[in-house]
Amino acid sequence: MSVFDPFHPEVGTKVEIPYFFYLVQHPDGNVLFDTGGHPSLVSDPRARLGDAADAFEVTMQEGDDVVSQLARAGFSPDDVDHIVLSHLHYDHAGGIEFFPHAEFYAQRRELEFAHWPPVYQREIYVRADFDHPVAWNELDGEFDLFGDGRVVIFPTPGHTAGHQSLLVHLDGERAMVLVADAAYLPRNIELNVLPGIVWSPDAMVASWERIRALKRRYNAQLVFTHDLAWPETTRVAPEAWYE
Ligand SMILES: [Zn+2]
């Protein structure tokens, strides 16, 4: 719990951290937001993560990887046109190599940070995840993916130097903000409590202010990649989805 919030009343409790990635369907293309952990983490996490495998005991199972999960929802890697990466930590960037034909979007600052991370983040960036000859679109700030305001990438630095989140306007439901690791839990944003892995507290709190402003403006629903309460808060494919 201390990773989520060092002041949480349940600090000292061991929790299983969920990982999500998201597929957004737009008339002009399918967008994947994040790619999860590399499938080799199932059998030998130490080979890929080194000592970080001790700090974060990996509970990923066969079939949890992004290609298997997309298949369950009826998609193949070739159906994915665009991949937006919130950041390049190993639990988000492990599936890059399985999409050689997609266009990738990351903040330029994140690509720099991932290749030369500060010492306290060195073990959670794995070069084998992101050193692939894919088509990188290096962003400097906000980017409207289809030019119609429906799928908008916006920077949310704090967890890392180049973290970004995604604003999605659906046809029928409330707008959604895919927060990723800009905050682990709703509680971080609601109470202004910083989590355990932070590059810049000031940048993180400024990013929360931006997310709160979007929430107010669009009555948006916030979706958190590592939300411990996800069974109550989040619809999960292929059984459920948002339209
Ligand atoms: Zn992260």
Side-chain angles (χ1 to χ4, degrees):
M1 279 308 287
S2 62
V3 172
F4 288 107
D5 170 5
F7 298 100
H8 196 282
E10 288 165 38
V11 160
T13 310
K14 195 166 184 175
V15 292
E16 181 165 19
I17 303 177
Y19 300 96
F20 288 105
F21 26 80
Y22 311 86
L23 186 75
V24 181
Q25 291 187 276
H26 183 282
D28 294 338
N30 292 326
V31 183
L32 182 67
F33 183 57
D34 282 343
T35 65
H38 191 273
S40 70
L41 295 179
V42 174
S43 55
D44 192 358
R46 179 158 268 285
R48 199 158 184 99
L49 300 180
D51 290 345
D54 297 334
F56 298 100
E57 181 190 325
V58 176
T59 56
M60 186 171 167
Q61 314 256 310
E62 203 73 52
D64 285 346
D65 63 281
V66 66
V67 175
S68 303
Q69 288 291 319
L70 283 172
R72 287 186 66 210
F75 298 91
S76 77
D78 283 346
D79 297 325
V80 176
D81 305 293
H82 306 280
I83 300 185
V84 179
L85 291 160
S86 63
H87 62 309
L88 299 180
H89 282 164
Y90 74 90
D91 51 325
H92 298 256
I96 291 172
E97 69 182 85
F98 304 106
F99 301 89
H101 305 300
E103 292 279 324
F104 285 79
Y105 302 82
Q107 294 291 319
R108 181 188 309 278
R109 189 75 182 83
E110 182 66 15
L111 290 162
E112 293 167 358
F113 191 79
H115 281 91
W116 202 256
V119 63
Y120 70 97
Q121 294 208 13
R122 208 155 277 171
E123 289 174 340
I124 45 180
Y125 282 110
V126 176
R127 281 215 186 184
D129 284 341
F130 49 82
D131 270 349
H132 296 291
V134 295
W136 288 104
N137 293 267
E138 301 181 9
L139 306 180
D140 288 303
E142 193 172 302
F143 186 71
D144 180 350
L145 198 50
F146 296 105
D148 60 359
R150 300 293 298 271
V151 182
V152 180
I153 301 165
F154 64 102
T156 45
H159 177 58
T160 66
H163 192 281
Q164 57 187 3
S165 304
L166 197 67
L167 171 66
V168 182
H169 289 283
L170 299 169
D171 286 332
E173 305 197 51
R174 298 160 66 187
M176 306 191 75
V177 175
L178 305 180
V179 173
D181 287 10
Y184 290 135
L185 303 176
R187 169 187 170 87
N188 297 118
I189 290 188
E190 287 160 9
L191 304 179
N192 282 313
V193 287
L194 293 161
I197 300 174
V198 185
W199 162 71
S200 162
D202 298 278
M204 181 171 269
V205 172
S207 293
W208 292 347
E209 196 49 56
R210 185 161 190 182
I211 291 167
R212 282 193 289 257
L214 289 171
K215 184 180 183 202
R216 280 194 302 271
R217 180 167 173 192
Y218 299 115
N219 186 30
Q221 180 181 351
L222 309 186
V223 180
F224 300 81
T225 293
H226 301 304
D227 190 354
L228 295 174
W230 67 269
E232 295 92 61
T233 60
T234 311
R235 295 181 209 163
V236 180
E239 290 80 15
W241 57 89
Y242 300 85
E243 284 186 63

